[in-house]
Amino acid sequence: MSNETTRTLQAIKFDRENIKLDILDQLLLPYSTTYIPISTIEDAFQAIKLMQVRGAPAIAIVGAFSVVVDTFNYLNQGGKDKTVADLVKSLDYLITSRPTAVNLANALNDIKELLKDNQENDIVNDDIYKKIFNYSIALYDEDLANNVKIGENGLKYITETLKQQNFKGPFSIVTICNTGSLATSGHGTALGIIRSTYQGLQKSASKEDFWLDQVYPCETRPYNQGAKLTTYELDYEKIPFTLVCDNMVSSLINTLGSGRTIKEQKAPVKFIIVGADRVVKNGDTANKIGTFQLSTIANYFNNNKFTKEDQQIKFIVAAPKTTIDLNTQTGDEIVIEERPANELTNLVGPQLVDGSIGDKVTVGIATPLSSKIQMFLSKTLMENSP
């Protein structure tokens, strides 16, 4: 385990020459930069299960690299008794560390396909190792290239959407969980779009009649990835942001969309951008708890209050192709991981976020108790009652 004093967005360090893997312990961010060595498949299982590494793309990459390192160390130590069947059993075990995020299963199942050229009782050898090494390197490199492309596509879509809406002035974006460099090989998915958009549409750089003025990351209970990690990345990149609690997004959108200010900010929310753990065949998406309510909130405002074209909020799911699961037909079939209860019931550790962002946090907005809201809630509850 190594400690560094400087901040970093590099979640995964893989030494391609010496075949060593270290991961950034994300449970300790933002108050400590600590790398953990991953030398075996079991090391990776524990790191993934404990969420020391998290983010669907990053989990898959760490899983694949752990197989490389484990196999390299086994061969380097003169091992001669591990069969292909033993290796497949280890891959199946590693998949169980995070069942909801399909990227891990996709990557390890790809490795299993590579092993089908061998018999089950064949001994793991250097040729098998090279296949796994080459696959894992390509997985990492392609993920980074795909993330940059996602960012470019997202910037293009946002620009075209705002032009089509004839929108002018500053706008804001809401996001949840952490979907940036810390969750991937680099750049990120949803946060990658935000990063690319700010690079192209910050006020000093924008060539359009609109500009990205503010990002609102949700705290993301119960593990606070938004508060701990997304604020860390946004602050690192000097992208303006205000951290909000998960249950104030409706009030945030309503207040800003009505022309009122929050902490001197008035740019309306125009986009909600989220990542994904899995996208199934019909387009249903599994992601961090709280994502569904964000899509519901956007849909409500689009259909009930902000009905003009230039007021509409777009909901974007950003994910690489490794997140697509064509074997699962609908979201009802997705296995949702049950996390330990103490992640919700227990509070452990120092303060959640870097104290330097204290002026970039807001937690209170008044909620208007209008008869329309009450009638809408009652109607919704009655329509969905058994």
Side-chain angles (χ1 to χ4, degrees), residues 45 90-99 104-105 108-109 112:
F45 181 96
S90 296
L91 296 177
D92 288 336
Y93 167 69
L94 185 54
I95 288 173
T96 66
S97 61
R98 291 299 301 276
L104 177 63
L108 299 183
N109 285 332
K112 287 162 66 175

Side-chain angles (χ1 to χ4, degrees), residues 1 5 49 62 78 84 132 160 178 246 280 283 285 289 332 363:
M1 185 178 295
T5 57
K49 189 71 176 176
V62 169
V84 168
I132 300 171
E160 291 176 350
N178 174 258
D246 291 346
V280 299
T285 300
I289 191 69
D332 292 337
V363 293

Side-chain angles (χ1 to χ4, degrees), residues 300-359:
Y300 167 76
F301 278 108
N302 286 341
N303 288 292
N304 292 276
K305 185 164 185 178
F306 302 141
T307 56
K308 294 180 180 178
E309 181 70 14
D310 64 348
Q311 294 177 314
Q312 294 282 286
I313 301 167
K314 297 296 184 180
F315 189 89
I316 301 172
V317 176
K321 63 181 181 180
T322 52
T323 306
I324 296 172
D325 173 15
L326 296 179
N327 295 317
T328 302
Q329 300 300 310
T330 73
D332 292 337
E333 301 172 36
I334 299 174
V335 176
I336 303 299
E337 177 185 5
E338 289 288 340
R339 299 295 302 172
N342 64 0
E343 291 182 2
L344 181 61
T345 60
N346 294 13
L347 293 176
V348 181
Q351 70 183 60
L352 295 179
V353 299
D354 187 340
S356 66
I357 72 162
D359 63 340

Side-chain angles (χ1 to χ4, degrees), residues 35-224:
Y35 280 93
I36 306 168
I38 303 295
S39 302
T40 65
I41 289 174
E42 179 62 30
D43 288 345
F45 181 96
Q46 295 301 328
I48 294 169
K49 189 71 176 176
L50 294 173
M51 294 183 70
Q52 290 171 302
V53 60
R54 23 74 48 213
I59 289 170
I61 292 165
V62 169
F65 277 151
S66 75
V67 180
V68 173
V69 174
D70 189 288
T71 305
F72 175 82
N73 290 337
Y74 160 78
L75 293 173
N76 223 29
Q77 293 163 7
K80 296 180 180 179
D81 58 351
K82 180 183 288 187
T83 65
V84 168
D86 294 331
L87 181 53
V88 169
K89 185 176 180 180
S90 296
L91 296 177
D92 288 336
Y93 167 69
L94 185 54
I95 288 173
T96 66
S97 61
R98 291 299 301 276
T100 305
V102 76
N103 306 56
L104 177 63
N106 282 345
L108 299 183
N109 285 332
D110 284 347
I111 293 175
K112 287 162 66 175
E113 284 295 318
L114 295 175
L115 298 175
K116 286 186 176 180
D117 292 336
N118 302 89
Q119 300 298 315
E120 287 190 354
N121 59 354
D122 286 350
I123 300 300
V124 174
N125 55 32
D126 195 56
D127 287 339
I128 290 175
Y129 162 74
K130 288 178 179 176
K131 287 182 183 179
I132 300 171
F133 175 87
N134 290 335
Y135 170 82
S136 301
I137 292 295
L139 180 70
Y140 180 94
D141 291 343
E142 288 173 9
D143 182 69
L144 182 57
N146 286 336
N147 292 340
V148 173
K149 192 64 177 177
I150 288 172
E152 293 172 351
N153 290 340
L155 169 59
K156 181 180 178 181
Y157 174 78
I158 287 171
T159 302
E160 291 176 350
T161 297
L162 294 176
K163 282 184 174 181
Q164 183 178 350
Q165 293 181 347
N166 198 30
F167 179 86
K168 299 183 186 302
F171 69 94
S172 299
I173 295 173
V174 168
T175 191
I176 190 170
C177 203
N178 174 258
T179 55
S181 294
L182 296 174
T184 64
S185 59
H187 198 71
T189 54
L191 198 53
I193 291 178
I194 292 172
R195 179 177 280 111
S196 295
T197 299
Y198 187 69
Q199 290 171 354
L201 293 178
Q202 60 182 288
K203 190 172 184 179
S204 61
S206 179
K207 298 179 181 178
E208 308 296 340
D209 293 328
F210 43 79
W211 61 92
L212 175 57
D213 189 66
Q214 193 78 191
V215 177
Y216 291 98
C218 298
E219 59 175 336
T220 318
R221 291 285 296 146
Y223 240 43
N224 300 293

Side-chain angles (χ1 to χ4, degrees), residues 252-327:
L252 175 78
I253 292 174
N254 184 65
T255 302
L256 295 175
S258 300
R260 302 194 300 275
T261 62
I262 301 174
K263 293 181 71 91
E264 300 181 355
Q265 301 299 327
K266 61 180 181 180
V269 174
K270 293 295 297 172
F271 300 92
I272 299 175
I273 310 178
V274 304
D277 287 326
R278 186 183 298 243
V279 180
V280 299
K281 192 170 184 178
N282 74 336
D284 286 350
T285 300
N287 192 48
K288 180 68 180 181
I289 191 69
T291 303
F292 186 15
Q293 68 189 28
L294 292 180
S295 66
T296 303
I297 288 167
N299 187 60
Y300 167 76
F301 278 108
N302 286 341
N303 288 292
N304 292 276
K305 185 164 185 178
F306 302 141
T307 56
K308 294 180 180 178
E309 181 70 14
D310 64 348
Q311 294 177 314
Q312 294 282 286
I313 301 167
K314 297 296 184 180
F315 189 89
I316 301 172
V317 176
K321 63 181 181 180
T322 52
T323 306
I324 296 172
D325 173 15
L326 296 179
N327 295 317

